[in-house]
């Protein structure tokens, strides 16, 4: 009995040590990938055609999902707020509330989550497959840096495309809210006037600014998980899942701190 308990305790310690080592390995590898990518971009060491191809793939594949998710999220937000605010006699404020919520939080975060699920998983799967089929080793044997060849175009493409996709999300999310608010007793004029009064350029630009960080996290995590893949097809599946989960966690955690820094203490302009 005592030996069994000691064995279980030893196993738990081993598992915790392994998880802790894996965590620090991830931090180290992700930091190297991020810093190296930024240094290469600043130095102008960029493969333009690869970057454009990645931007096209990320934008084309993610756009339909971004439109659907942000439009219906704006709609459901308007559904709740318009019914309540019309009942309280302040339906004229719905447009401002919905628009600010969409551009500050809904569109940036939902777009990042969609892109993490769609593009981040694809990056991890593609690079993971290259890793287990020894194509990454072949790159190294030819004197080509995997980070330069694989990470930089994807990093730059995500950092550039996520604000663009979010801007479209801002538009369709606000439009979705507009349509549903109309159906719940808010007049078109009061909705638009309220949005014009409350919503500022600062709200829009700060919401877009957050997505630069989200795009960087998605790219770094996808590349790191791809390059650390082992164990054949099962390992590729595991890396793909990990890339999505880790990216989502980083997006939500960083969103809180970015929101506190960018918007903290400042109430909407009404």
């Amino acid at each position: 009995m005592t030996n069994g308990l000691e064995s279980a305790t030893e196993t738990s310690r081993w598992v915790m040590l392994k998880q802790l080592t894996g965590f620090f390995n991830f931090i180290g590898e992700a930091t190297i990938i991020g810093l190296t990518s930024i240094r290469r971009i600043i130095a102008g060491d960029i493969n333009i055609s690869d970057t454009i191809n990645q931007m096209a793939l990320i934008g084309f594949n993610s756009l339909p999902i971004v439109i659907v998710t942000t439009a219906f999220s704006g709609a459901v937000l308007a559904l709740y707020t318009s019914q309540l605010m019309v009942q309280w006699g302040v339906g004229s404020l719905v447009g401002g509330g919905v628009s600010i919520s969409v551009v500050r939080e809904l569109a940036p975060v939902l777009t990042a989550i969609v892109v993490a699920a769609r593009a981040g998983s694809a990056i991890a799967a593609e690079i993971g497959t290259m890793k287990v089929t020894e194509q990454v080793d072949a790159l190294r044997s030819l004197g080509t840096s995997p980070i330069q060849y694989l990470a930089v175009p994807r990093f730059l493409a995500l950092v550039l495309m996520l604000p663009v996709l979010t801007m479209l999300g801002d538009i369709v999310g606000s439009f979705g809210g507009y349509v549903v608010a109309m159906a719940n007793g808010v007049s078109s004029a009061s909705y638009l006037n309220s949005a014009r009064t409350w919503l500022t350029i600062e709200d829009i630009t700060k919401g877009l600014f957050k997505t630069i960080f989200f795009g960087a996290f998605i790219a770094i995590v996808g590349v790191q998980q791809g390059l650390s893949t082992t164990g054949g097809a099962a390992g590729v599946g595991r890396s793909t899942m990990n890339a999505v989960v880790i990216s989502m966690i980083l997006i939500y955690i960083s969103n809180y701190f970015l929101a506190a820094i960018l918007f903290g203490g400042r109430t909407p302009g009404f």
Side-chain angles (χ1 to χ4, degrees):
M1 181 69 178
T2 304
N3 289 337
L5 185 60
E6 289 176 352
S7 177
T9 304
E10 188 65 26
T11 302
S12 299
R13 286 177 181 168
W14 172 248
V15 170
M16 288 178 63
L17 182 62
K18 188 177 179 183
Q19 290 177 338
L20 196 62
T21 304
F23 173 75
F24 284 113
N25 279 341
F26 168 77
I27 296 294
E29 291 171 1
T31 303
I32 291 171
I33 291 169
L35 292 179
T36 304
S37 298
I38 292 171
R39 182 170 57 80
R40 299 267 186 171
I41 291 169
I42 292 173
D45 194 5
I46 302 167
N47 187 320
I48 300 295
S49 62
D50 276 356
T51 303
I52 292 174
N53 285 337
Q54 290 297 324
M55 290 173 68
L57 284 173
I58 292 166
F60 180 78
N61 291 332
S62 305
L63 183 60
I65 316 174
V66 168
I67 290 175
V68 171
T69 52
T70 52
F72 280 91
S73 297
V76 78
L77 179 63
L79 179 65
Y80 287 127
T81 56
S82 59
Q83 289 178 346
L84 192 62
M85 295 179 85
V86 167
Q87 185 179 353
W88 288 349
V90 289
S92 60
L93 303 180
V94 172
V98 170
S99 300
I100 285 182
S101 300
V102 167
V103 301
R104 282 189 179 189
E105 296 300 328
L106 277 182
V109 173
L110 286 178
T111 302
I113 294 297
V114 166
V115 172
R118 188 68 182 82
S121 61
I123 290 171
E126 181 186 7
I127 297 177
T129 303
M130 292 177 67
K131 178 72 184 331
V132 298
T133 55
E134 300 182 353
Q135 294 179 61
V136 173
D137 294 333
L139 285 174
R140 288 196 177 98
S141 68
L142 293 171
T144 302
S145 164
I147 295 179
Q148 164 64 21
Y149 184 75
L150 299 171
V152 172
R154 289 161 178 79
F155 182 95
L156 189 57
L158 274 162
V159 166
L160 293 175
M161 282 306 297
L162 209 55
V164 176
L165 290 169
T166 303
M167 197 178 300
L168 293 171
D170 289 346
I171 296 169
V172 296
S174 299
F175 180 73
Y178 171 80
V179 172
V180 172
M182 296 304 98
N184 284 275
V186 179
S187 72
S188 174
S190 66
Y191 186 97
L192 295 175
N193 285 335
S194 174
R196 276 195 294 266
T197 303
W198 289 19
L199 191 62
T200 65
I201 295 296
E202 188 180 356
D203 292 319
I204 299 171
T205 54
K206 287 182 175 178
L208 296 177
F209 180 71
K210 292 197 298 184
T211 62
I212 295 173
F213 293 90
F214 299 159
F217 292 147
I218 295 168
I220 291 169
V221 172
V223 173
Q224 187 276 332
Q225 287 297 310
L227 290 176
S228 63
T229 300
T230 56
V236 173
R238 195 163 47 246
S239 294
T240 304
M241 181 188 66
N242 288 342
V244 176
V245 172
I246 296 170
S247 295
M248 287 183 177
I249 291 172
L250 289 176
I251 288 166
Y252 280 116
I253 293 175
S254 62
N255 182 57
Y256 169 78
F257 291 103
L258 287 168
I261 293 169
L262 296 172
F263 300 113
R266 190 175 75 81
T267 55
F270 58 92

